[in-house]
Amino acid sequence: MSKGSDGLPKPGEVVVDIDEAFEAREFNFGAFAVEVYPFTWDSVQVLVNGPIKDSRQLEGWITRWLDVEDKNPPGPFGTSQAIHSFSPVESQDGWWYLTGDFGSAPADALSEFIELLAGQGMTRIVIRGGR
C-alpha cells in the first residue's frame, strides 16, 4: 500500500524474480525445524511431515484469521489484518500441505501458524511459494 496523489491508500504489487542461486534457510528450534524458501504473502504453501492431528484447531486458526465477523482492529492504511484464504489440507509423498493467502494479516499470523503446527508434533515445517 502506498499513498496516492489524492492522499488515499493505493494498493500495489511488486513482483521480484527469485534468485536462481537462492538456498533455503533452515531454522532449528530444537523440537522442530522450519525451512524457508522464497514465497509471497499472497501465495504461500506450508508443508509438514505429518498429518494434522487436530483439524478443529487448524480450522479455528483459519476462522479467527479470516476475521469473518470483522473483529480485527484496522491495520495500517485501514487494512483488515486478515488472511484471505487457505486450501484444505492435502497429502503427497509423505508430506501434508496447504496453500494460502495471508492477505493483510500481520506476521503474527504466520508465527501462530508455525506454533500451532509444532504443537501438533510436526518436526519439519517447510514454507515456500504457493503452487
Side-chain angles (χ1 to χ4, degrees):
M1 300 293 285
S2 63
K3 191 179 288 187
S5 59
D6 57 2
L8 297 174
K10 178 181 172 185
E13 182 176 16
V14 176
V15 179
V16 179
D17 290 333
I18 296 171
D19 181 354
E20 292 180 19
F22 181 88
E23 294 184 26
R25 297 283 314 260
E26 183 173 316
F27 302 90
N28 190 324
F29 296 96
F32 68 98
V34 178
E35 190 173 345
V36 181
Y37 291 85
F39 70 94
T40 58
W41 206 240
D42 65 340
S43 183
V44 61
Q45 187 174 65
V46 180
L47 298 91
V48 293
N49 65 331
I52 302 296
K53 296 175 184 171
D54 184 350
S55 59
R56 288 185 306 172
Q57 186 182 34
L58 175 62
E59 290 166 5
W61 177 87
I62 291 172
T63 300
R64 185 169 65 79
W65 280 105
L66 276 172
D67 193 31
V68 175
E69 295 178 11
D70 201 26
K71 291 183 177 181
N72 289 351
F77 301 108
T79 59
S80 66
Q81 298 201 99
I83 63 173
H84 290 173
S85 64
F86 266 84
S87 72
V89 176
E90 299 180 57
S91 66
Q92 183 178 4
D93 300 327
W95 288 92
W96 285 257
Y97 62 93
L98 60 165
T99 304
D101 176 348
F102 274 96
S104 61
D108 288 347
L110 177 58
S111 297
E112 284 182 19
F113 191 45
I114 291 169
E115 289 174 10
L116 180 152
L117 296 169
Q120 292 208 14
M122 305 306 163
T123 58
R124 190 140 199 84
I125 301 168
V126 176
I127 301 171
R128 65 185 189 185
R131 300 181 197 256

mmCIF file of all heavy atoms in Angstrom, residues 28-73:
data_model
loop_
_atom_site.group_PDB
_atom_site.id
_atom_site.type_symbol
_atom_site.label_atom_id
_atom_site.label_comp_id
_atom_site.label_asym_id
_atom_site.label_seq_id
_atom_site.Cartn_x
_atom_site.Cartn_y
_atom_site.Cartn_z
ATOM 1 N N ASN A 28 16.391 -24.060 13.281
ATOM 2 C CA ASN A 28 16.176 -25.205 14.154
ATOM 3 C C ASN A 28 15.750 -24.699 15.533
ATOM 4 O O ASN A 28 16.467 -23.937 16.173
ATOM 5 C CB ASN A 28 17.454 -26.032 14.254
ATOM 6 C CG ASN A 28 17.215 -27.348 14.936
ATOM 7 O OD1 ASN A 28 16.422 -27.456 15.867
ATOM 8 N ND2 ASN A 28 17.908 -28.365 14.470
ATOM 9 N N PHE A 29 14.577 -25.137 15.966
ATOM 10 C CA PHE A 29 14.030 -24.717 17.256
ATOM 11 C C PHE A 29 14.052 -25.861 18.269
ATOM 12 O O PHE A 29 13.279 -25.867 19.216
ATOM 13 C CB PHE A 29 12.607 -24.195 17.078
ATOM 14 C CG PHE A 29 12.550 -22.951 16.229
ATOM 15 C CD1 PHE A 29 12.274 -23.030 14.879
ATOM 16 C CD2 PHE A 29 12.797 -21.704 16.784
ATOM 17 C CE1 PHE A 29 12.233 -21.883 14.089
ATOM 18 C CE2 PHE A 29 12.755 -20.553 16.010
ATOM 19 C CZ PHE A 29 12.481 -20.642 14.658
ATOM 20 N N GLY A 30 14.926 -26.836 18.057
ATOM 21 C CA GLY A 30 15.035 -27.968 18.977
ATOM 22 C C GLY A 30 14.067 -29.073 18.623
ATOM 23 O O GLY A 30 14.429 -30.032 17.967
ATOM 24 N N ALA A 31 12.815 -28.924 19.017
ATOM 25 C CA ALA A 31 11.814 -29.961 18.762
ATOM 26 C C ALA A 31 11.335 -29.961 17.312
ATOM 27 O O ALA A 31 10.755 -30.935 16.850
ATOM 28 C CB ALA A 31 10.624 -29.782 19.699
ATOM 29 N N PHE A 32 11.554 -28.863 16.590
ATOM 30 C CA PHE A 32 11.131 -28.787 15.193
ATOM 31 C C PHE A 32 12.043 -27.833 14.431
ATOM 32 O O PHE A 32 12.733 -27.008 15.020
ATOM 33 C CB PHE A 32 9.664 -28.350 15.072
ATOM 34 C CG PHE A 32 9.400 -26.927 15.488
ATOM 35 C CD1 PHE A 32 9.323 -25.924 14.537
ATOM 36 C CD2 PHE A 32 9.217 -26.600 16.824
ATOM 37 C CE1 PHE A 32 9.072 -24.613 14.921
ATOM 38 C CE2 PHE A 32 8.967 -25.289 17.216
ATOM 39 C CZ PHE A 32 8.892 -24.302 16.267
ATOM 40 N N ALA A 33 12.033 -27.981 13.113
ATOM 41 C CA ALA A 33 12.823 -27.111 12.239
ATOM 42 C C ALA A 33 11.893 -26.495 11.202
ATOM 43 O O ALA A 33 10.926 -27.125 10.763
ATOM 44 C CB ALA A 33 13.926 -27.898 11.552
ATOM 45 N N VAL A 34 12.190 -25.264 10.827
ATOM 46 C CA VAL A 34 11.438 -24.562 9.793
ATOM 47 C C VAL A 34 12.406 -24.249 8.662
ATOM 48 O O VAL A 34 13.445 -23.634 8.879
ATOM 49 C CB VAL A 34 10.803 -23.257 10.324
ATOM 50 C CG1 VAL A 34 10.075 -22.524 9.209
ATOM 51 C CG2 VAL A 34 9.869 -23.547 11.490
ATOM 52 N N GLU A 35 12.054 -24.689 7.469
ATOM 53 C CA GLU A 35 12.854 -24.437 6.271
ATOM 54 C C GLU A 35 12.102 -23.422 5.419
ATOM 55 O O GLU A 35 10.928 -23.628 5.098
ATOM 56 C CB GLU A 35 13.035 -25.755 5.509
ATOM 57 C CG GLU A 35 14.025 -25.700 4.399
ATOM 58 C CD GLU A 35 14.259 -27.094 3.801
ATOM 59 O OE1 GLU A 35 13.882 -28.106 4.421
ATOM 60 O OE2 GLU A 35 14.812 -27.144 2.695
ATOM 61 N N VAL A 36 12.759 -22.316 5.093
ATOM 62 C CA VAL A 36 12.088 -21.222 4.392
ATOM 63 C C VAL A 36 12.700 -21.022 3.008
ATOM 64 O O VAL A 36 13.905 -20.812 2.868
ATOM 65 C CB VAL A 36 12.181 -19.905 5.198
ATOM 66 C CG1 VAL A 36 11.459 -18.777 4.478
ATOM 67 C CG2 VAL A 36 11.616 -20.096 6.601
ATOM 68 N N TYR A 37 11.838 -21.094 2.009
ATOM 69 C CA TYR A 37 12.167 -20.797 0.618
ATOM 70 C C TYR A 37 11.490 -19.474 0.258
ATOM 71 O O TYR A 37 10.617 -19.008 0.997
ATOM 72 C CB TYR A 37 11.628 -21.902 -0.303
ATOM 73 C CG TYR A 37 12.340 -23.217 -0.164
ATOM 74 C CD1 TYR A 37 11.969 -24.136 0.817
ATOM 75 C CD2 TYR A 37 13.392 -23.546 -1.005
ATOM 76 C CE1 TYR A 37 12.626 -25.351 0.950
ATOM 77 C CE2 TYR A 37 14.055 -24.760 -0.879
ATOM 78 C CZ TYR A 37 13.670 -25.652 0.090
ATOM 79 O OH TYR A 37 14.327 -26.848 0.225
ATOM 80 N N PRO A 38 11.820 -18.889 -0.863
ATOM 81 C CA PRO A 38 11.123 -17.659 -1.258
ATOM 82 C C PRO A 38 9.618 -17.911 -1.385
ATOM 83 O O PRO A 38 9.191 -18.951 -1.874
ATOM 84 C CB PRO A 38 11.722 -17.317 -2.622
ATOM 85 C CG PRO A 38 13.044 -18.000 -2.647
ATOM 86 C CD PRO A 38 12.863 -19.253 -1.838
ATOM 87 N N PHE A 39 8.837 -16.969 -0.895
ATOM 88 C CA PHE A 39 7.387 -17.032 -1.028
ATOM 89 C C PHE A 39 6.849 -15.617 -0.982
ATOM 90 O O PHE A 39 7.545 -14.691 -0.587
ATOM 91 C CB PHE A 39 6.758 -17.897 0.081
ATOM 92 C CG PHE A 39 6.798 -17.300 1.456
ATOM 93 C CD1 PHE A 39 5.717 -16.560 1.941
ATOM 94 C CD2 PHE A 39 7.904 -17.467 2.275
ATOM 95 C CE1 PHE A 39 5.753 -16.010 3.215
ATOM 96 C CE2 PHE A 39 7.943 -16.930 3.549
ATOM 97 C CZ PHE A 39 6.871 -16.189 4.024
ATOM 98 N N THR A 40 5.627 -15.466 -1.411
ATOM 99 C CA THR A 40 4.967 -14.169 -1.295
ATOM 100 C C THR A 40 3.827 -14.303 -0.301
ATOM 101 O O THR A 40 3.277 -15.387 -0.102
ATOM 102 C CB THR A 40 4.416 -13.673 -2.651
ATOM 103 O OG1 THR A 40 3.497 -14.635 -3.160
ATOM 104 C CG2 THR A 40 5.549 -13.445 -3.651
ATOM 105 N N TRP A 41 3.493 -13.213 0.338
ATOM 106 C CA TRP A 41 2.478 -13.217 1.379
ATOM 107 C C TRP A 41 1.131 -13.669 0.819
ATOM 108 O O TRP A 41 0.315 -14.249 1.514
ATOM 109 C CB TRP A 41 2.386 -11.811 1.974
ATOM 110 C CG TRP A 41 1.889 -11.758 3.379
ATOM 111 C CD1 TRP A 41 0.766 -11.097 3.798
ATOM 112 C CD2 TRP A 41 2.471 -12.334 4.546
ATOM 113 N NE1 TRP A 41 0.618 -11.239 5.159
ATOM 114 C CE2 TRP A 41 1.664 -11.999 5.646
ATOM 115 C CE3 TRP A 41 3.615 -13.114 4.775
ATOM 116 C CZ2 TRP A 41 1.941 -12.403 6.940
ATOM 117 C CZ3 TRP A 41 3.894 -13.515 6.071
ATOM 118 C CH2 TRP A 41 3.059 -13.168 7.138
ATOM 119 N N ASP A 42 0.909 -13.416 -0.470
ATOM 120 C CA ASP A 42 -0.385 -13.770 -1.059
ATOM 121 C C ASP A 42 -0.395 -15.145 -1.721
ATOM 122 O O ASP A 42 -1.424 -15.566 -2.256
ATOM 123 C CB ASP A 42 -0.839 -12.698 -2.053
ATOM 124 C CG ASP A 42 0.060 -12.596 -3.268
ATOM 125 O OD1 ASP A 42 1.221 -13.042 -3.218
ATOM 126 O OD2 ASP A 42 -0.401 -12.040 -4.283
ATOM 127 N N SER A 43 0.712 -15.862 -1.673
ATOM 128 C CA SER A 43 0.753 -17.199 -2.265
ATOM 129 C C SER A 43 1.837 -18.016 -1.574
ATOM 130 O O SER A 43 2.986 -18.054 -2.012
ATOM 131 C CB SER A 43 1.031 -17.110 -3.772
ATOM 132 O OG SER A 43 0.992 -18.398 -4.342
ATOM 133 N N VAL A 44 1.435 -18.653 -0.490
ATOM 134 C CA VAL A 44 2.384 -19.417 0.317
ATOM 135 C C VAL A 44 1.882 -20.850 0.448
ATOM 136 O O VAL A 44 0.681 -21.092 0.535
ATOM 137 C CB VAL A 44 2.585 -18.762 1.702
ATOM 138 C CG1 VAL A 44 1.298 -18.710 2.486
ATOM 139 C CG2 VAL A 44 3.670 -19.454 2.491
ATOM 140 N N GLN A 45 2.810 -21.778 0.417
ATOM 141 C CA GLN A 45 2.474 -23.176 0.659
ATOM 142 C C GLN A 45 3.250 -23.623 1.894
ATOM 143 O O GLN A 45 4.448 -23.352 2.007
ATOM 144 C CB GLN A 45 2.847 -24.051 -0.539
ATOM 145 C CG GLN A 45 2.355 -25.478 -0.398
ATOM 146 C CD GLN A 45 2.605 -26.281 -1.644
ATOM 147 O OE1 GLN A 45 3.751 -26.518 -2.015
ATOM 148 N NE2 GLN A 45 1.541 -26.680 -2.312
ATOM 149 N N VAL A 46 2.553 -24.266 2.812
ATOM 150 C CA VAL A 46 3.165 -24.748 4.051
ATOM 151 C C VAL A 46 3.057 -26.268 4.043
ATOM 152 O O VAL A 46 1.962 -26.814 3.929
ATOM 153 C CB VAL A 46 2.477 -24.149 5.289
ATOM 154 C CG1 VAL A 46 3.127 -24.665 6.560
ATOM 155 C CG2 VAL A 46 2.524 -22.625 5.239
ATOM 156 N N LEU A 47 4.208 -26.929 4.139
ATOM 157 C CA LEU A 47 4.274 -28.388 4.154
ATOM 158 C C LEU A 47 4.732 -28.848 5.531
ATOM 159 O O LEU A 47 5.586 -28.205 6.147
ATOM 160 C CB LEU A 47 5.277 -28.896 3.119
ATOM 161 C CG LEU A 47 4.995 -28.591 1.656
ATOM 162 C CD1 LEU A 47 5.645 -27.290 1.261
ATOM 163 C CD2 LEU A 47 5.501 -29.708 0.801
ATOM 164 N N VAL A 48 4.182 -29.962 5.986
ATOM 165 C CA VAL A 48 4.577 -30.544 7.267
ATOM 166 C C VAL A 48 4.790 -32.042 7.086
ATOM 167 O O VAL A 48 4.240 -32.656 6.177
ATOM 168 C CB VAL A 48 3.530 -30.271 8.374
ATOM 169 C CG1 VAL A 48 3.477 -28.787 8.704
ATOM 170 C CG2 VAL A 48 2.159 -30.783 7.978
ATOM 171 N N ASN A 49 5.595 -32.611 7.963
ATOM 172 C CA ASN A 49 5.991 -34.006 7.803
ATOM 173 C C ASN A 49 5.093 -34.985 8.551
ATOM 174 O O ASN A 49 5.511 -36.095 8.861
ATOM 175 C CB ASN A 49 7.442 -34.192 8.248
ATOM 176 C CG ASN A 49 7.633 -33.935 9.723
ATOM 177 O OD1 ASN A 49 6.913 -33.149 10.314
ATOM 178 N ND2 ASN A 49 8.608 -34.579 10.311
ATOM 179 N N GLY A 50 3.871 -34.590 8.819
ATOM 180 C CA GLY A 50 2.927 -35.492 9.465
ATOM 181 C C GLY A 50 1.516 -34.988 9.278
ATOM 182 O O GLY A 50 1.299 -33.826 8.939
ATOM 183 N N PRO A 51 0.537 -35.857 9.497
ATOM 184 C CA PRO A 51 -0.857 -35.422 9.344
ATOM 185 C C PRO A 51 -1.265 -34.459 10.452
ATOM 186 O O PRO A 51 -0.727 -34.493 11.556
ATOM 187 C CB PRO A 51 -1.640 -36.735 9.440
ATOM 188 C CG PRO A 51 -0.767 -37.654 10.211
ATOM 189 C CD PRO A 51 0.653 -37.260 9.889
ATOM 190 N N ILE A 52 -2.204 -33.607 10.143
ATOM 191 C CA ILE A 52 -2.768 -32.694 11.137
ATOM 192 C C ILE A 52 -3.584 -33.547 12.106
ATOM 193 O O ILE A 52 -4.530 -34.217 11.711
ATOM 194 C CB ILE A 52 -3.656 -31.624 10.468
ATOM 195 C CG1 ILE A 52 -2.870 -30.819 9.427
ATOM 196 C CG2 ILE A 52 -4.303 -30.722 11.501
ATOM 197 C CD1 ILE A 52 -1.734 -30.004 9.962
ATOM 198 N N LYS A 53 -3.207 -33.524 13.367
ATOM 199 C CA LYS A 53 -3.868 -34.371 14.371
ATOM 200 C C LYS A 53 -5.177 -33.768 14.862
ATOM 201 O O LYS A 53 -6.110 -34.486 15.194
ATOM 202 C CB LYS A 53 -2.925 -34.599 15.550
ATOM 203 C CG LYS A 53 -1.684 -35.370 15.166
ATOM 204 C CD LYS A 53 -0.716 -35.468 16.324
ATOM 205 C CE LYS A 53 0.560 -36.152 15.864
ATOM 206 N NZ LYS A 53 1.595 -36.087 16.873
ATOM 207 N N ASP A 54 -5.241 -32.453 14.951
ATOM 208 C CA ASP A 54 -6.430 -31.780 15.461
ATOM 209 C C ASP A 54 -6.891 -30.770 14.417
ATOM 210 O O ASP A 54 -6.483 -29.607 14.443
ATOM 211 C CB ASP A 54 -6.116 -31.097 16.795
ATOM 212 C CG ASP A 54 -7.337 -30.461 17.438
ATOM 213 O OD1 ASP A 54 -8.398 -30.376 16.785
ATOM 214 O OD2 ASP A 54 -7.214 -30.039 18.599
ATOM 215 N N SER A 55 -7.731 -31.235 13.495
ATOM 216 C CA SER A 55 -8.172 -30.352 12.412
ATOM 217 C C SER A 55 -9.039 -29.211 12.939
ATOM 218 O O SER A 55 -9.076 -28.135 12.353
ATOM 219 C CB SER A 55 -8.916 -31.139 11.337
ATOM 220 O OG SER A 55 -10.047 -31.782 11.879
ATOM 221 N N ARG A 56 -9.701 -29.416 14.067
ATOM 222 C CA ARG A 56 -10.517 -28.331 14.640
ATOM 223 C C ARG A 56 -9.632 -27.167 15.076
ATOM 224 O O ARG A 56 -10.011 -26.009 14.951
ATOM 225 C CB ARG A 56 -11.355 -28.833 15.805
ATOM 226 C CG ARG A 56 -12.505 -29.724 15.340
ATOM 227 C CD ARG A 56 -13.400 -30.121 16.457
ATOM 228 N NE ARG A 56 -12.590 -30.721 17.516
ATOM 229 C CZ ARG A 56 -13.040 -31.041 18.700
ATOM 230 N NH1 ARG A 56 -14.284 -30.831 19.007
ATOM 231 N NH2 ARG A 56 -12.246 -31.577 19.607
ATOM 232 N N GLN A 57 -8.443 -27.477 15.587
ATOM 233 C CA GLN A 57 -7.521 -26.417 15.986
ATOM 234 C C GLN A 57 -7.085 -25.620 14.757
ATOM 235 O O GLN A 57 -7.044 -24.387 14.776
ATOM 236 C CB GLN A 57 -6.316 -27.015 16.701
ATOM 237 C CG GLN A 57 -5.383 -25.982 17.267
ATOM 238 C CD GLN A 57 -4.168 -26.602 17.928
ATOM 239 O OE1 GLN A 57 -3.668 -27.639 17.488
ATOM 240 N NE2 GLN A 57 -3.683 -25.970 18.982
ATOM 241 N N LEU A 58 -6.769 -26.322 13.668
ATOM 242 C CA LEU A 58 -6.382 -25.659 12.421
ATOM 243 C C LEU A 58 -7.545 -24.824 11.886
ATOM 244 O O LEU A 58 -7.360 -23.668 11.502
ATOM 245 C CB LEU A 58 -5.941 -26.692 11.385
ATOM 246 C CG LEU A 58 -5.624 -26.151 9.994
ATOM 247 C CD1 LEU A 58 -4.464 -25.177 10.046
ATOM 248 C CD2 LEU A 58 -5.331 -27.305 9.045
ATOM 249 N N GLU A 59 -8.735 -25.395 11.868
ATOM 250 C CA GLU A 59 -9.912 -24.665 11.391
ATOM 251 C C GLU A 59 -10.176 -23.427 12.253
ATOM 252 O O GLU A 59 -10.567 -22.381 11.738
ATOM 253 C CB GLU A 59 -11.134 -25.583 11.386
ATOM 254 C CG GLU A 59 -11.061 -26.652 10.315
ATOM 255 C CD GLU A 59 -12.083 -27.766 10.513
ATOM 256 O OE1 GLU A 59 -12.931 -27.683 11.433
ATOM 257 O OE2 GLU A 59 -12.019 -28.741 9.734
ATOM 258 N N GLY A 60 -9.936 -23.546 13.555
ATOM 259 C CA GLY A 60 -10.111 -22.400 14.443
ATOM 260 C C GLY A 60 -9.149 -21.279 14.119
ATOM 261 O O GLY A 60 -9.518 -20.097 14.123
ATOM 262 N N TRP A 61 -7.881 -21.650 13.824
ATOM 263 C CA TRP A 61 -6.890 -20.635 13.452
ATOM 264 C C TRP A 61 -7.316 -19.942 12.163
ATOM 265 O O TRP A 61 -7.293 -18.715 12.062
ATOM 266 C CB TRP A 61 -5.505 -21.279 13.292
ATOM 267 C CG TRP A 61 -4.469 -20.314 12.842
ATOM 268 C CD1 TRP A 61 -3.704 -19.508 13.621
ATOM 269 C CD2 TRP A 61 -4.105 -20.025 11.485
ATOM 270 N NE1 TRP A 61 -2.880 -18.730 12.829
ATOM 271 C CE2 TRP A 61 -3.117 -19.039 11.523
ATOM 272 C CE3 TRP A 61 -4.524 -20.507 10.251
ATOM 273 C CZ2 TRP A 61 -2.533 -18.515 10.372
ATOM 274 C CZ3 TRP A 61 -3.949 -19.988 9.099
ATOM 275 C CH2 TRP A 61 -2.959 -19.004 9.175
ATOM 276 N N ILE A 62 -7.731 -20.735 11.171
ATOM 277 C CA ILE A 62 -8.146 -20.160 9.880
ATOM 278 C C ILE A 62 -9.351 -19.244 10.074
ATOM 279 O O ILE A 62 -9.368 -18.108 9.594
ATOM 280 C CB ILE A 62 -8.437 -21.270 8.852
ATOM 281 C CG1 ILE A 62 -7.135 -21.971 8.449
ATOM 282 C CG2 ILE A 62 -9.148 -20.703 7.620
ATOM 283 C CD1 ILE A 62 -7.314 -23.215 7.595
ATOM 284 N N THR A 63 -10.349 -19.720 10.799
ATOM 285 C CA THR A 63 -11.564 -18.922 11.008
ATOM 286 C C THR A 63 -11.256 -17.618 11.729
ATOM 287 O O THR A 63 -11.748 -16.548 11.355
ATOM 288 C CB THR A 63 -12.603 -19.734 11.808
ATOM 289 O OG1 THR A 63 -12.919 -20.922 11.069
ATOM 290 C CG2 THR A 63 -13.868 -18.930 12.047
ATOM 291 N N ARG A 64 -10.424 -17.703 12.765
ATOM 292 C CA ARG A 64 -10.080 -16.484 13.518
ATOM 293 C C ARG A 64 -9.372 -15.477 12.630
ATOM 294 O O ARG A 64 -9.677 -14.280 12.638
ATOM 295 C CB ARG A 64 -9.218 -16.823 14.718
ATOM 296 C CG ARG A 64 -8.949 -15.614 15.600
ATOM 297 C CD ARG A 64 -8.329 -15.994 16.921
ATOM 298 N NE ARG A 64 -7.018 -16.580 16.792
ATOM 299 C CZ ARG A 64 -5.901 -15.893 16.595
ATOM 300 N NH1 ARG A 64 -5.938 -14.589 16.463
ATOM 301 N NH2 ARG A 64 -4.738 -16.497 16.519
ATOM 302 N N TRP A 65 -8.385 -15.952 11.829
ATOM 303 C CA TRP A 65 -7.619 -15.027 10.999
ATOM 304 C C TRP A 65 -8.366 -14.600 9.740
ATOM 305 O O TRP A 65 -8.037 -13.568 9.146
ATOM 306 C CB TRP A 65 -6.242 -15.597 10.671
ATOM 307 C CG TRP A 65 -5.307 -15.411 11.820
ATOM 308 C CD1 TRP A 65 -4.877 -16.363 12.697
ATOM 309 C CD2 TRP A 65 -4.711 -14.188 12.244
ATOM 310 N NE1 TRP A 65 -4.050 -15.808 13.642
ATOM 311 C CE2 TRP A 65 -3.931 -14.472 13.392
ATOM 312 C CE3 TRP A 65 -4.760 -12.879 11.787
ATOM 313 C CZ2 TRP A 65 -3.205 -13.500 14.066
ATOM 314 C CZ3 TRP A 65 -4.043 -11.914 12.458
ATOM 315 C CH2 TRP A 65 -3.270 -12.221 13.580
ATOM 316 N N LEU A 66 -9.398 -15.331 9.325
ATOM 317 C CA LEU A 66 -10.240 -14.852 8.219
ATOM 318 C C LEU A 66 -11.036 -13.622 8.659
ATOM 319 O O LEU A 66 -11.430 -12.809 7.842
ATOM 320 C CB LEU A 66 -11.218 -15.933 7.754
ATOM 321 C CG LEU A 66 -10.699 -16.944 6.758
ATOM 322 C CD1 LEU A 66 -11.717 -18.059 6.546
ATOM 323 C CD2 LEU A 66 -10.339 -16.303 5.427
ATOM 324 N N ASP A 67 -11.280 -13.532 9.961
ATOM 325 C CA ASP A 67 -11.978 -12.396 10.553
ATOM 326 C C ASP A 67 -13.325 -12.154 9.886
ATOM 327 O O ASP A 67 -13.674 -11.031 9.518
ATOM 328 C CB ASP A 67 -11.115 -11.131 10.496
ATOM 329 C CG ASP A 67 -11.667 -10.019 11.378
ATOM 330 O OD1 ASP A 67 -12.288 -10.328 12.410
ATOM 331 O OD2 ASP A 67 -11.487 -8.837 11.021
ATOM 332 N N VAL A 68 -14.098 -13.233 9.748
ATOM 333 C CA VAL A 68 -15.408 -13.159 9.109
ATOM 334 C C VAL A 68 -16.323 -12.175 9.836
ATOM 335 O O VAL A 68 -17.114 -11.470 9.213
ATOM 336 C CB VAL A 68 -16.056 -14.566 9.049
ATOM 337 C CG1 VAL A 68 -17.465 -14.507 8.503
ATOM 338 C CG2 VAL A 68 -15.189 -15.493 8.209
ATOM 339 N N GLU A 69 -16.198 -12.108 11.157
ATOM 340 C CA GLU A 69 -17.055 -11.216 11.936
ATOM 341 C C GLU A 69 -16.491 -9.792 12.041
ATOM 342 O O GLU A 69 -17.027 -8.966 12.776
ATOM 343 C CB GLU A 69 -17.288 -11.814 13.324
ATOM 344 C CG GLU A 69 -18.061 -13.119 13.257
ATOM 345 C CD GLU A 69 -18.271 -13.747 14.612
ATOM 346 O OE1 GLU A 69 -17.999 -13.093 15.651
ATOM 347 O OE2 GLU A 69 -18.708 -14.905 14.643
ATOM 348 N N ASP A 70 -15.396 -9.533 11.344
ATOM 349 C CA ASP A 70 -14.814 -8.189 11.272
ATOM 350 C C ASP A 70 -14.476 -7.631 12.655
ATOM 351 O O ASP A 70 -14.801 -6.489 12.981
ATOM 352 C CB ASP A 70 -15.767 -7.258 10.524
ATOM 353 C CG ASP A 70 -15.056 -6.034 9.976
ATOM 354 O OD1 ASP A 70 -13.832 -6.115 9.735
ATOM 355 O OD2 ASP A 70 -15.716 -4.997 9.794
ATOM 356 N N LYS A 71 -13.783 -8.456 13.464
ATOM 357 C CA LYS A 71 -13.418 -8.045 14.821
ATOM 358 C C LYS A 71 -12.000 -7.477 14.908
ATOM 359 O O LYS A 71 -11.666 -6.847 15.896
ATOM 360 C CB LYS A 71 -13.540 -9.234 15.778
ATOM 361 C CG LYS A 71 -14.970 -9.663 16.012
ATOM 362 C CD LYS A 71 -15.033 -10.788 17.021
ATOM 363 C CE LYS A 71 -16.471 -11.173 17.304
ATOM 364 N NZ LYS A 71 -16.560 -12.238 18.301
ATOM 365 N N ASN A 72 -11.154 -7.726 13.916
ATOM 366 C CA ASN A 72 -9.780 -7.230 13.965
ATOM 367 C C ASN A 72 -9.766 -5.703 13.902
ATOM 368 O O ASN A 72 -10.514 -5.109 13.125
ATOM 369 C CB ASN A 72 -8.957 -7.763 12.783
ATOM 370 C CG ASN A 72 -8.652 -9.229 12.893
ATOM 371 O OD1 ASN A 72 -8.899 -9.866 13.910
ATOM 372 N ND2 ASN A 72 -8.112 -9.794 11.827
ATOM 373 N N PRO A 73 -8.908 -5.082 14.691
ATOM 374 C CA PRO A 73 -8.780 -3.628 14.562
ATOM 375 C C PRO A 73 -8.120 -3.310 13.212
ATOM 376 O O PRO A 73 -7.331 -4.111 12.706
ATOM 377 C CB PRO A 73 -7.863 -3.245 15.723
ATOM 378 C CG PRO A 73 -7.093 -4.491 16.033
ATOM 379 C CD PRO A 73 -8.000 -5.641 15.687
#
